Amino acid sequence: MKKIPYLIFVLVVTAGCSLYRISSQDTTVDYYPAKQSSDEVIYLETVKKPSVQIGTVTVNAERRQRISDVLEKMKREAAILGGDAITDVKTDATGAWKSLPAQEFIGNGYIRANFTAKVIVFQ
């Protein structure tokens, strides 16, 4: 019986290591209906078609997360916004890590990172 609280504690602590925090922001007043699936949203490094930015998506995750997992989370949020694609993915340290003294010494030794992308629709 004493092992159950210990097991729950271990599960909570180890599950907290791979948490994602996903947020998005609309930057347009136009309405774009949500996509049925994140499979309808693509990732483009460079946009060659005429497009309009309708928002941004930010995923806060551990720095060591695979970019494919982060992109999938971004695509899901972009589908909710009604976007056709995500582009211009950037990564940066989160606030507390960014403000540490001796940044030149620790370099990118931060633990968590913000991954941000633009959500676009094609015209």
Side-chain angles (χ1 to χ4, degrees):
M1 201 60 165
K2 293 181 180 182
K3 293 181 181 181
I4 292 175
Y6 179 73
L7 178 63
I8 291 172
F9 174 76
V10 169
L11 288 174
V12 168
V13 169
T14 57
C17 294
S18 60
L19 291 177
Y20 292 93
R21 188 174 58 206
I22 304 166
S23 61
S24 61
Q25 180 179 5
D26 286 330
T27 58
T28 183
V29 293
D30 297 331
Y31 173 74
Y32 296 95
K35 305 289 184 198
Q36 294 293 323
S37 166
S38 63
D39 295 333
E40 297 178 47
V41 178
I42 59 174
Y43 166 67
L44 298 172
E45 286 187 26
T46 57
V47 181
K48 297 180 181 174
K49 295 180 182 179
S51 62
V52 175
Q53 180 179 348
I54 64 166
T56 58
V57 175
T58 303
V59 175
N60 180 279
E62 290 179 339
R63 185 178 65 129
R64 66 179 178 83
Q65 293 298 324
R66 290 182 294 176
I67 194 68
S68 60
D69 293 339
V70 172
L71 287 176
E72 191 57 39
K73 305 262 188 256
M74 287 180 165
K75 286 180 178 181
R76 187 173 346 148
E77 192 70 17
I80 293 169
L81 291 175
D84 293 326
I86 57 172
T87 188
D88 196 23
V89 176
K90 296 182 181 187
T91 184
D92 196 6
T94 57
W97 290 99
K98 201 183 235 183
S99 63
L100 288 175
Q103 281 294 314
E104 62 278 347
F105 176 70
I106 61 173
N108 61 357
Y110 49 88
I111 296 173
R112 297 194 63 84
N114 287 326
F115 298 87
T116 305
K118 295 178 182 177
V119 180
I120 59 171
V121 292
F122 299 118
Q123 294 180 332

